[in-house]
Amino acid sequence: MAGGLYDIAEPGASTVKVACAGRAIGIDLGTTNSLVAFVKDASPQCLADAEGRMLLPSAVRYRADGAPIVGAEALAEAAKYPRDTIVSVKRFMGRGPEDAETTRRFTPYRFVSQSGPVVKFAVAGPREVTPMEVSAEILRTLKARAEAALGGELDGAVITVPAYFDDAQRQATKDAGRIAGLEVLRLLNEPTAAALAYGLDKKSEGIFAVYDLGGGTFDISILKLTGGVFEVKSTGGDTALGGDDFDRALAELLAKKRALTDEVLADPGRRRALLDEARALKHRLTTDVEAGELSRAELEEAVAPILTRTAGPCRRALKDAGITPKELDGVILVGGATRTPAVRQFVKEMFQREPLADIDPDQVVALGAAVQADLLAGAGPREDVLLLDVIPLSLGLEMMGGAVERVIQRNSTIPTGARQTFTTYADNQTGFDLHVVQGERELADQCRSLARFALKGIPPMSAGMARLEVTFMVDADGILAVAAREETTGLESKVVVKPSYGLTDEQIEQMLLDSYEHAEEDMKLRLLTEARVEAQRITGALKGALAVDGALLDAAERAEVDRHVAVLEQAVAGKDHRAIRERTEQLDLATKPFAERRMNQHMQEAIGGKDVGEIEKKVEHAKGTEHHGG
Ligand code: ADP
Ligand code: MG
């Protein structure tokens, strides 16, 4: 993992590479199943393995000797080798050990403690593997399948990721591709891939919902198409909801029907077998209304509460996109679990229309990825398509006092960039500590810490003189790069970034909910923080000025200024931001004559010394109105 997962790149440095020939593949690297597709004669198709199987179960088993086993064979013996068979590795991508800690209770894996910023599994061998390496085994298998089908070397791949994935998860996915020896042309959001597979980009405009229910995850996205250009308007979902929950509900039903004891169910092997049975029955009930022990009606009753849990994220995504179901032009079904008729019915009622399901919901994402790969490889006969996605949470910087200055807003279309200028808070400040955060709350300690770095070695200057230009760039893959440059000296940051991993989608969801719930108190706290910082800055500057030029005031004037300072300081100790603001203004007003006298005196001194530049600097300093970075 050279360089760490948060490479802070130079702004504008594109990560999109374009291959020259047309042998590029699309890969759906799923939590449960993965697929590879390729465009042949202008139409995308999924590639099967030697046994004719398209779906590759995302399972990898490590053996004490020999190459890892990937796919159905690994899954078949997962119960026998629970610790050496890694399933659902996608959940661990870009996660740190602390996050693994929280999942440890639910997984049979042995995690390597003290493994640094990345999770590591201890598997047979004895070996230690990262989620990137495990994913790379899946990618390697698909790559070999594609090479066999296409007869030779590949030029690159487009790999899909959930629209929700944060920077660390996207970087981890790219790293997995690199480990597998794939040239990752681009990471593509899964819903966007599905829309491409349906050729929706050929329509001139429309708004589409993509309802993706996989094995263990649920994702909902709203896409807007204008002039052949896609934009992800909003995303939502639940990372612990999917077809696996159907299996568990059905297994419980079977256990009840068969009057199985808890003792029987406590046995991992027996439980696994029961779940497998439940899944097989579930698949049968997709086409048949009866399957011996269970009927479709019973299945529908058992899964109804699970389906209901997808309603909240759907409504929120619609609300975030600012539309009603009626305004949609189409709904796309994605994910194996949407084959279940009850799911289709639910989606139909939720969005008030018949969903699009002509393309196999298992394959649709891989097919779309292949279309995009074909475009990037420049071989397709189609016109170029620009794909736009959004970032799920706002990105910003921590300010003096702990408030967050949002630099890029949530749901901004990517690629995107923003630049803001900050200045020093205190006199003779020789460095900036930059703290990049992600989230919707007003205070930095309530947001997720993404990175910290420092810019040091600025020559001592008066407060407000340094100009720090900070650039945020989010590239087409959704990866963030932050650069800082002090303008007056040209100093650029030697970036030291401490990656902090591990934000689960539930946490993203929770952070959004919190920001709504706490919006009012947060805003008050923020206003208070800002008012205090401003008041302290002004009183600090005033005290400094009085120490130098105090003689410009007579005793009565000085007493009046001191009184205002005392009143303001009292307000700062309190919690009323309005009072602080008012008194800050009063102090400002009361010290105007003093400020003018100082200005005149400096002018005179400067003109005497014919130093015009000095005057300009001082005038500017006296104004000092920018943001004040920490
Ligand atoms: P992921 O995107 O998480 O990799 P998939 O899209 O492959 O997952 O979906 C896997 C889920 O789809 C599993 O729960 C599986 O049981 C379910 N599934 C697959 N085929 C069917 C079917 N015919 N009827 C009902 N569910 C199905
Ligand atoms: Mg999927």
Side-chain angles (χ1 to χ4, degrees), residues 95-104 115-119 499-502:
R95 303 277 192 233
E98 312 84 57
D99 311 290
E101 198 78 53
T102 62
T103 29
R104 191 175 302 213
S115 61
V118 225
V119 180
S500 35
Y501 291 97

Side-chain angles (χ1 to χ4, degrees), residues 256-278:
K256 214 189 284 167
K257 285 195 169 200
R258 295 176 189 174
L260 295 180
T261 60
D262 287 350
E263 210 177 357
V264 173
L265 292 173
D267 178 77
R270 306 276 286 271
R271 210 169 54 221
R272 185 72 256 163
L274 188 68
L275 279 169
D276 288 344
E277 234 184 302

Side-chain angles (χ1 to χ4, degrees), residues 30-33 214-217 243-244 279 282-283 286 335-337 339-340 362:
T31 309
T32 317
N33 295 299
T217 54
D244 296 347
R279 179 177 306 125
K282 173 184 78 173
H283 289 190
T286 288
R339 287 166 182 267
T340 298
D362 283 330

Side-chain angles (χ1 to χ4, degrees), residues 54-279:
M54 304 268 195
L55 292 179
L56 176 71
S58 304
V60 179
R61 185 177 120 219
Y62 289 87
R63 291 183 292 179
D65 42 29
I69 303 170
V70 182
E73 288 72 21
L75 195 61
E77 293 199 297
K80 197 164 152 202
Y81 305 97
R83 290 175 171 179
D84 301 324
T85 312
I86 313 293
V87 298
S88 300
V89 70
K90 193 171 175 176
R91 294 183 183 281
F92 296 97
M93 294 292 270
R95 303 277 192 233
E98 312 84 57
D99 311 290
E101 198 78 53
T102 62
T103 29
R104 191 175 302 213
R105 284 177 292 137
F106 309 111
T107 61
Y109 309 129
R110 263 171 309 181
F111 294 99
V112 180
S113 53
Q114 312 275 299
S115 61
V118 225
V119 180
K120 270 188 192 160
F121 306 99
V123 291
R127 286 179 61 188
E128 293 174 359
V129 291
T130 62
M132 286 75 88
E133 293 169 273
V134 179
S135 295
E137 290 301 339
I138 298 166
L139 292 172
R140 222 175 254 139
T141 305
L142 294 173
K143 177 177 177 251
R145 186 191 287 186
E147 281 167 350
L150 306 176
E153 289 265 299
L154 301 174
D155 292 314
V158 167
I159 304 177
T160 59
V161 289
Y164 254 99
F165 259 25
D166 66 20
D167 302 289
Q169 292 168 302
R170 284 169 198 265
Q171 280 287 12
T173 306
K174 274 193 141 179
D175 288 337
R178 215 175 304 145
I179 297 167
L182 281 168
E183 169 99 359
V184 182
L185 300 173
R186 183 181 272 201
L187 299 179
L188 179 65
N189 282 346
E190 288 161 12
T192 311
L196 271 185
Y198 272 98
L200 296 179
D201 52 308
K202 285 178 217 140
K203 300 191 175 179
S204 59
E205 57 186 33
I207 304 174
F208 305 95
V210 180
Y211 182 101
D212 180 350
L213 196 61
T217 54
F218 168 61
D219 287 298
I220 177 76
S221 315
I222 309 290
L223 307 181
K224 188 175 177 206
L225 174 70
T226 336
V229 175
F230 277 111
E231 195 182 334
V232 180
K233 295 300 281 184
S234 64
T235 64
D238 188 333
T239 46
L241 190 64
D244 296 347
D245 295 295
F246 292 7
D247 301 348
R248 280 190 281 270
L250 292 182
E252 262 174 46
L253 196 59
L254 285 179
K256 214 189 284 167
K257 285 195 169 200
R258 295 176 189 174
L260 295 180
T261 60
D262 287 350
E263 210 177 357
V264 173
L265 292 173
D267 178 77
R270 306 276 286 271
R271 210 169 54 221
R272 185 72 256 163
L274 188 68
L275 279 169
D276 288 344
E277 234 184 302
R279 179 177 306 125

Side-chain angles (χ1 to χ4, degrees), residues 505-519:
D505 289 355
E506 293 93 49
Q507 282 170 307
I508 291 187
E509 185 85 2
Q510 197 53 51
M511 283 165 84
L512 290 177
L513 288 176
D514 284 351
S515 74
Y516 292 130
E517 263 170 38
H518 301 288

